[in-house]
Amino acid sequence: MAKNLVIAEQSEIIRKGIVHLTEGLDIFSSIREVACPSMLRESVSKYKPHVLIINPSFIIPDGLEELKEVVTSHPLRIAAIVYSLFDDDYLSRFDEVIRISDTKQKMQRRLSNMMEKLPNKAVAKREETLSARELDVLKLLVRGMSNKEISDKLFISTHTVISHRKNITQKLNIKSVAGLTVYAILNELINIDDVQ
């Protein structure tokens, strides 16, 4: 089935760069651009994307779910394109976070993962996916780091680490660190040699 992509970013250089990188993926049959926040909702309604790559400043945090409801024919996955500071709690609401410093391969892998996680009609709803920051916390957690060590490493508060851990446990339905370690190894998030 053909998949549609919308890129919502005011910077033409960044927007065109993302278009160039995503064209080579052969995942999307249609790639559309939105340069103005005021055109976002109308464009999503018109083009019905499967994936939306968006500058987080285009939308208020509570507007993400509302935007997903605009597309009724299939699930909409939303990735934040980040090149300035945003609150970690806000970024954790996105399905994925793509950083401007990411390599081409990393960006392509993130987009491919988002596409793989789109449910098929024949398949029941899959488990919720982890945000980029939750993955960061998970990787450090299974390497044996404490909440305090993780907060120092990621420059976030201990409270935020605990919040991410709760989200990880709920989304994966895995309560033990040992179980999370097995999950991380099986999903190639870490190498078995990284585990202490």
Side-chain angles (χ1 to χ4, degrees):
M1 185 173 112
K3 304 290 186 196
N4 302 325
L5 169 68
V6 169
I7 301 165
E9 167 57 55
Q10 63 240 14
S11 166
E12 186 167 1
I13 292 172
I14 293 171
R15 199 173 60 246
K16 295 295 185 188
I18 296 170
V19 168
H20 174 73
L21 291 173
T22 53
E23 282 177 336
L25 284 175
D26 292 330
I27 293 176
F28 303 104
S29 58
S30 167
I31 301 173
R32 306 290 181 158
E33 301 174 49
V34 180
C36 176
S38 64
M39 298 297 295
L40 178 62
R41 187 177 175 86
E42 180 183 329
S43 297
V44 168
S45 177
K46 180 179 180 180
Y47 300 123
K48 299 186 181 356
H50 293 82
V51 174
L52 170 64
I53 299 176
I54 185 172
N55 180 326
S57 66
F58 264 47
I59 191 166
I60 60 169
D62 294 335
L64 285 170
E65 289 306 315
E66 184 180 310
L67 193 58
K68 286 184 174 190
E69 292 171 4
V70 171
V71 180
T72 57
S73 57
H74 54 264
L76 170 62
R77 299 284 188 205
I78 303 178
I81 182 73
V82 178
Y83 52 90
S84 58
L85 292 176
F86 285 95
D87 181 65
D88 286 332
D89 289 332
Y90 176 41
L91 291 180
S92 70
R93 296 179 184 198
F94 289 86
D95 297 306
E96 189 62 77
V97 175
I98 299 170
R99 300 194 184 281
I100 202 75
S101 60
D102 284 350
T103 63
K104 176 181 177 180
Q105 293 76 17
K106 191 178 233 182
M107 180 185 152
Q108 290 176 339
R109 189 170 53 249
R110 290 185 193 279
L111 288 173
S112 294
N113 288 342
M114 285 178 69
M115 294 307 297
E116 289 171 10
K117 290 172 184 162
L118 285 172
N120 293 329
K121 289 181 182 175
V123 177
K125 183 184 173 197
R126 294 186 183 181
E127 65 185 24
E128 288 186 74
T129 57
L130 300 179
S131 70
R133 185 52 98 182
E134 288 167 347
L135 286 171
D136 292 340
V137 170
L138 175 63
K139 289 174 190 174
L140 296 174
L141 177 65
V142 299
R143 286 189 173 113
M145 295 179 84
S146 68
N147 290 343
K148 175 73 172 121
E149 290 169 325
I150 294 170
S151 72
D152 291 343
K153 178 99 171 155
L154 298 178
F155 303 104
I156 58 178
S157 72
T158 305
H159 176 74
T160 302
V161 173
I162 292 167
S163 183
H164 285 311
R165 286 187 67 171
K166 285 180 186 174
N167 291 340
I168 292 166
T169 299
Q170 287 176 340
K171 288 180 179 181
L172 300 179
N173 198 24
I174 301 173
K175 295 176 178 40
S176 69
V177 175
L180 291 172
T181 304
V182 170
Y183 173 87
I185 292 169
L186 290 175
N187 287 280
E188 298 178 355
L189 300 174
I190 62 164
N191 201 325
I192 196 159
D193 299 329
D194 296 334
V195 180
Q196 290 181 352

